Amino acid sequence: MNRQLYASLILVAVLIVGSIETPALAQKATKTHGNIAMVETSMGSFEIELYLNDAPKTVENFVKLAEQKFFDGQRFHRVAKNFVIQAGDDKSKDVKKKNEWGRGGKSIWGREFEDELKPNAPSYQAGYLRGVVAMANRGPNTNTSQFFIMLRDNPGMPKNYTIFGKVIKGMDVVEKIGQVEIEPIMGPNDGRPKVDVVIKKIRIVRSASGK
């Protein structure tokens, strides 16, 4: 993630309000499923339910990149304590490009693609809850391959990032990644992990409704 995006997400953290997400919305959001992404990392495995109905283009991009083994060998290049962990930058495979981690990424179309922010979608209405997986970007309609996973509920977070899934198994692994020691970049609690947290592989399990 570049410094502009770091700054924007730091601002998002400041804007969080103390409203409470309703259980009905959370339950409804989990029903908009398509495929399961099984993520194996150097710190353990977790599973993501992909919201094909809510964000079909984003899910297509993620699934096809995973099937191309694009994510294999990438590092989680960002940990913001009690906020998010972030991955999806192919530059993070190369330690020589460490200072560029967070600035890379690609889509299956070879260009940035548009947000899927649909006010009527269950996941949009539920918002950025613990375990939610959403696209990182550097502004409107600039999605490629970088994504983040929420470490806690942020119901007041501005809805500027396409939600395309949620962790349904192994959230303890996600939280363990979120607790690693970091090299601060944008404040004392937001930066690059000091230890390599590597995505070994992502396997897609397609459901009957998945394409």
Side-chain angles (χ1 to χ4, degrees):
M1 177 186 299
N2 59 30
R3 289 185 177 273
Q4 180 182 359
L5 182 52
Y6 265 113
S8 66
L9 281 179
I10 290 290
L11 177 59
V12 163
V14 173
L15 291 174
I16 291 168
V17 297
S19 60
I20 300 175
E21 183 269 335
T22 64
L25 280 179
Q27 185 178 16
K28 187 178 180 183
T30 62
K31 294 180 180 179
T32 60
H33 63 277
N35 304 309
I36 302 294
M38 304 181 72
V39 184
E40 181 182 345
T41 81
S42 55
M43 293 185 68
S45 299
F46 58 91
E47 297 181 9
I48 301 170
E49 182 178 21
L50 300 174
Y51 293 162
L52 183 61
N53 294 342
D54 290 10
K57 191 165 187 175
T58 306
V59 169
E60 178 188 8
N61 182 65
F62 183 85
V63 166
K64 289 185 176 178
L65 287 176
E67 292 177 338
Q68 293 170 8
K69 304 185 186 302
F70 172 79
F71 298 109
D72 297 7
Q74 291 185 16
R75 295 169 171 86
F76 280 89
H77 63 268
R78 181 195 182 198
V79 169
K81 300 291 184 178
N82 297 312
F83 186 30
V84 300
I85 61 174
Q86 187 166 328
D89 179 5
D90 50 330
K91 290 186 177 183
S92 69
K93 295 182 180 182
D94 189 350
V95 70
K96 294 180 181 179
K97 296 180 179 179
K98 192 172 185 178
N99 291 333
E100 299 178 41
W101 293 359
R103 301 177 187 175
K106 73 170 190 177
S107 77
I108 58 173
W109 300 284
R111 57 173 175 76
E112 297 171 343
F113 66 96
E114 62 272 17
D115 301 322
E116 293 182 287
L117 303 172
K118 304 173 182 178
N120 292 327
S123 60
Y124 182 97
Q125 293 176 11
Y128 302 97
L129 307 178
R130 176 177 174 268
V132 155
V133 185
M135 294 299 290
N137 60 48
R138 56 183 180 80
N141 304 312
T142 58
N143 303 287
T144 54
S145 55
Q146 289 195 42
F147 63 93
F148 60 86
I149 305 175
M150 301 298 301
L151 295 173
R152 65 181 178 90
D153 291 359
N154 281 324
M157 182 171 166
K159 295 178 179 179
N160 297 329
Y161 309 95
T162 299
I163 294 172
F164 67 97
K166 190 174 184 180
V167 175
I168 57 170
K169 185 176 181 180
M171 191 62 196
D172 58 320
V173 174
V174 174
E175 291 174 337
K176 186 165 61 173
I177 295 171
Q179 293 169 0
V180 299
E181 192 174 358
I182 63 170
E183 300 173 12
I185 295 177
M186 293 296 292
N189 297 314
D190 192 340
R192 182 186 302 124
K194 287 186 176 182
V195 297
D196 288 342
V197 184
V198 179
I199 297 174
K200 293 183 177 181
K201 63 181 178 181
I202 298 180
R203 183 166 66 92
I204 304 298
V205 179
R206 295 176 181 269
S207 71
S209 61
K211 296 181 180 181

